[in-house]
Amino acid sequence: MSRIAFVKDALSPGAYVPRSRAGVSIEDRGFLFADGIYEVCEIRNGGLVDEQRHLERYESSLRSLRLKAPMSRRSLQLVLRETVRRNKVQNGVLYFQVTRGASRRDHAFPPASVSPTLTVFATPVDVAARDAKVASGVEVITLPDERWARRDIKSVSLLPNVLAKQAAQDAGAYEAWLLDADGNVTEGASTNAWIVMDDETIITRPLSHDILPGISRSIVLEAARHLQINIEERAFTIAEARSAAEAFLTSSSAILLPVVGIDGSVVRDGTPGPVAHRLRAYASGISQISDAHLPSI
Ligand code: PLP
């Protein structure tokens, strides 16, 4: 039997479509940033188990992420039931997900005109296999809780970065510098963070699970070595950053941008500093630019 999914997004006002062909834009923020929420609800004898509790948690998740509801609660309930009915699922799970919609890739929230995406599908479960596990019990292993803690991986789990970038934008700033439990700067929401001391030593956090190993970070370190600028790879506090001679951030989209204010207080005299300027100029020069066409071997 062909399975049916429901999709409502910028391109579709809401339609039941064959599940194998159901899809959303590659620019959907769920796909790009994990900028979305979901619910999974048990289907028992064709009905939804604890539907009210799931809808309450769903609405709470929407509020927490400032996500627009894709439709009214009542319309959603109709769609959930219709998806179960069309798939003739008696026992299984119902999955529904809402994302902040499809828009040009940018961490901060898209314009208010962008509609959220809603997808719904229902899948039967093997009741006998589940009952066998209930009868036998299951084993577990233990692992360190590393959820949100592997910032060194360039993963699309970017929801915290999205929220930080939006908070920066709400405050009229370009970027948010993120602090660890000790008040040290880890990195920006989408950039690496640097400060410059009075003797022109540059400081940036060492590579670890705490930061993304930025490509521009490595180029700027190389530039500093060429320019014989002292480098200290160590954690620095936000207080040090505020009183630093200069500060800057790095990322592939701009190589290096001088930071002239932190939390509203001026860095230096509020203008870009000479070390940032020299590093940017040198780093631009040593970056490798590929040929437009791959040369033949
Ligand atoms: N840190 C984070 C969290 C980022 O997302 C990025 C870039 O997207 C960077 C740092 C800078 O990395 P790169 O210089 O490779 O662009």
Side-chain angles (χ1 to χ4, degrees), residues 184-263:
N184 292 314
V185 175
T186 51
E187 61 177 341
S190 66
T191 58
N192 289 113
W194 306 69
I195 57 172
V196 184
M197 305 315 277
D198 289 331
D199 67 357
E200 298 206 336
T201 299
I202 58 170
I203 301 177
T204 197
R205 188 145 178 142
L207 296 186
S208 72
H209 287 177
D210 293 338
I211 64 166
L212 188 80
I215 302 299
S216 4
R217 178 186 180 283
S218 68
I219 296 286
V220 166
L221 284 175
E222 205 173 307
R225 277 181 217 111
H226 282 288
L227 293 169
Q228 299 189 329
I229 293 173
N230 268 341
I231 302 163
E232 264 183 53
E233 287 186 69
R234 66 160 173 87
F236 60 87
T237 65
I238 196 66
E240 274 183 285
R242 283 207 196 96
S243 61
E246 292 179 40
F248 60 89
L249 51 83
T250 54
S251 80
S252 296
S253 48
I255 304 181
L256 182 159
L257 287 179
V259 169
V260 295
I262 300 175
D263 287 333

Side-chain angles (χ1 to χ4, degrees), residues 69-292:
M71 55 178 61
S72 68
R73 182 190 260 229
R74 177 135 189 95
S75 304
L76 177 63
Q77 287 179 287
L78 288 171
V79 168
L80 301 184
R81 281 166 180 66
E82 186 61 11
T83 306
V84 174
R85 196 188 67 75
R86 289 194 186 214
N87 286 285
K88 301 189 176 64
V89 176
Q90 279 302 302
N91 296 292
V93 285
L94 177 79
Y95 180 96
F96 60 103
Q97 173 167 356
V98 176
T99 77
R100 214 178 298 275
S103 184
R104 201 183 81 105
R105 188 181 183 278
D106 186 356
H107 283 61
F109 295 172
S113 55
V114 171
S115 347
T117 299
L118 167 67
T119 52
V120 186
F121 56 87
T123 311
V125 293
D126 181 342
V127 176
R130 189 188 56 197
D131 290 351
K133 283 201 196 87
V134 173
S136 64
V138 294
E139 285 185 37
V140 300
I141 62 163
T142 59
L143 287 175
D145 190 343
E146 290 195 326
R147 293 175 295 169
W148 307 111
R150 289 299 307 272
R151 302 152 202 150
D152 55 317
I153 301 169
K154 201 160 167 70
S155 144
V156 293
S157 297
L158 286 171
L159 179 59
N161 308 53
V162 162
L163 298 180
K165 199 67 143 194
Q166 183 62 33
Q169 195 163 300
D170 289 346
Y174 176 83
E175 177 62 301
W177 276 8
L178 306 169
L179 305 178
D180 65 17
D182 301 321
N184 292 314
V185 175
T186 51
E187 61 177 341
S190 66
T191 58
N192 289 113
W194 306 69
I195 57 172
V196 184
M197 305 315 277
D198 289 331
D199 67 357
E200 298 206 336
T201 299
I202 58 170
I203 301 177
T204 197
R205 188 145 178 142
L207 296 186
S208 72
H209 287 177
D210 293 338
I211 64 166
L212 188 80
I215 302 299
S216 4
R217 178 186 180 283
S218 68
I219 296 286
V220 166
L221 284 175
E222 205 173 307
R225 277 181 217 111
H226 282 288
L227 293 169
Q228 299 189 329
I229 293 173
N230 268 341
I231 302 163
E232 264 183 53
E233 287 186 69
R234 66 160 173 87
F236 60 87
T237 65
I238 196 66
E240 274 183 285
R242 283 207 196 96
S243 61
E246 292 179 40
F248 60 89
L249 51 83
T250 54
S251 80
S252 296
S253 48
I255 304 181
L256 182 159
L257 287 179
V259 169
V260 295
I262 300 175
D263 287 333
S265 65
V266 166
V267 176
R268 219 174 89 90
D269 57 2
T271 63
V275 176
H277 181 76
R278 266 160 57 214
L279 281 169
R280 188 175 199 285
Y282 202 93
S284 311
I286 58 173
S287 284
Q288 308 250 309
I289 301 173
S290 77
D291 294 336

